[in-house]
Amino acid sequence: MDHAITPEAANHVLFHYGRGGYQAGSFTTHLLCAFATADEQNFFRLSEAFPEYGAAVAAIQYDPKGVTNLTIIAQGEVAA
């Protein structure tokens, strides 16, 4: 799923979870709040509309290497 994550999305998600990055605008901040509180069905729906954010939120919430991978992507590199 990492292929869908843009450096911008990685930075926004890292910031939202207090792990670096930089703050998003108000719409994206609210979107990240929606992702963070969504049940599985609504998370899927949001991910269909915003795949880069869905992949990034899933990475930081469920992948033990998610923060590392998002940091690499945020810096413009390719995550392993």
Side-chain angles (χ1 to χ4, degrees), residues 6-17:
T6 63
E8 181 177 50
N11 275 294
H12 292 162
V13 170
L14 286 166
F15 184 88
H16 183 78
Y17 285 88

Side-chain angles (χ1 to χ4, degrees), residues 8-59:
E8 181 177 50
N11 275 294
H12 292 162
V13 170
L14 286 166
F15 184 88
H16 183 78
Y17 285 88
R19 303 303 298 260
Y22 54 80
Q23 189 169 15
S26 62
F27 175 82
T28 303
T29 298
H30 289 288
L31 177 65
L32 292 173
C33 289
F35 267 112
T37 59
D39 59 26
E40 187 176 341
Q41 182 179 8
N42 286 310
F43 190 97
F44 179 75
R45 287 178 177 170
L46 288 168
S47 293
E48 286 182 322
F50 303 96
E52 66 280 14
Y53 286 101
V57 171

Side-chain angles (χ1 to χ4, degrees), residues 58-74:
I60 205 164
Q61 286 185 344
Y62 304 114
D63 182 353
K65 296 181 183 179
V67 172
T68 300
N69 289 339
L70 288 175
T71 300
I72 291 168
I73 293 168

